[in-house]
Amino acid sequence: MSSATSTTSLPSGLDVLTTFPDVLFIPEITFGGLVWILVASSKVPLPILQGWVMFVSVFCFIMSTTLLCLYIFGVHRGSSSWIALDVICQETAALFYLSAAVLEAAFTYGASLLSVDPLGRTIYQENIAAVVFAFLATLMYVIHKICSLLRWKSS
């Protein structure tokens, strides 16, 4: 197919914020930012687990924000490779967030067995919120990935 035909399915300008699945950038960035804030504000007794969660949340936050800005500014016009890039980014983010959400849930469950003091209860609640938002971010990235794959297939 010609590049003019394949790039018409990617919106540009503020149309990005009104078309599906690209409107999912907003909840992806929001939920990812909340995971980042909640994990950063809690104690980190197992840095290897929560370090991965922090890496994923920061990486995906920056990646999604950058991709959204590039779409808004219309950088993708005239190139047919942006649809494939969108699929790769969404697939990577979905896989990363699934692993991060599972690790954060495992850490939170383990921490619940050990914590009995009131301060530990507050940190436990922050970690529960981080788990919920990590799974919500995973869901948003999976939906976006599926729709991006369908857009890629039809281009």
Side-chain angles (χ1 to χ4, degrees):
M1 296 192 143
S2 70
S3 64
T5 306
S6 63
T7 58
T8 57
S9 62
L10 280 175
S12 61
L14 293 178
D15 290 341
V16 173
L17 302 176
T18 61
T19 57
F20 192 82
D22 301 307
V23 73
L24 292 175
F25 277 121
I26 302 303
E28 291 167 359
I29 292 168
T30 303
F31 294 145
L34 287 169
V35 172
W36 179 5
I37 291 167
L38 289 166
V39 172
S41 68
S42 67
K43 287 185 179 178
V44 183
L46 291 172
I48 192 78
L49 292 180
Q50 288 192 303
W52 174 250
V53 176
M54 281 297 292
F55 168 77
V56 168
S57 62
V58 172
F59 173 78
C60 290
F61 183 88
I62 291 171
M63 180 192 64
S64 294
T65 304
T66 303
L67 200 56
L68 176 64
C69 290
L70 291 173
Y71 284 171
I72 288 174
F73 293 128
V75 176
H76 61 284
R77 290 184 193 148
S79 176
S80 61
S81 61
W82 281 90
I83 295 175
L85 176 70
D86 187 48
V87 170
I88 291 168
C89 288
Q90 301 307 324
E91 194 166 336
T92 303
L95 181 64
F96 277 13
Y97 252 111
L98 180 62
S99 68
V102 169
L103 284 174
E104 183 66 18
F107 167 77
T108 303
Y109 177 73
S112 72
L113 300 176
L114 301 174
S115 128
V116 290
D117 63 332
L119 181 61
R121 179 105 175 122
T122 303
I123 293 169
Y124 174 65
Q125 290 170 343
E126 288 176 355
N127 286 327
I128 288 177
V131 169
V132 170
F133 288 125
F135 277 110
L136 285 173
T138 302
L139 179 64
M140 294 298 114
Y141 279 112
V142 167
I143 293 169
H144 199 157
K145 176 190 82 157
I146 291 169
C147 294
S148 293
L149 281 169
L150 292 174
R151 178 168 46 197
W152 179 59
K153 183 180 177 186
S154 68
S155 67

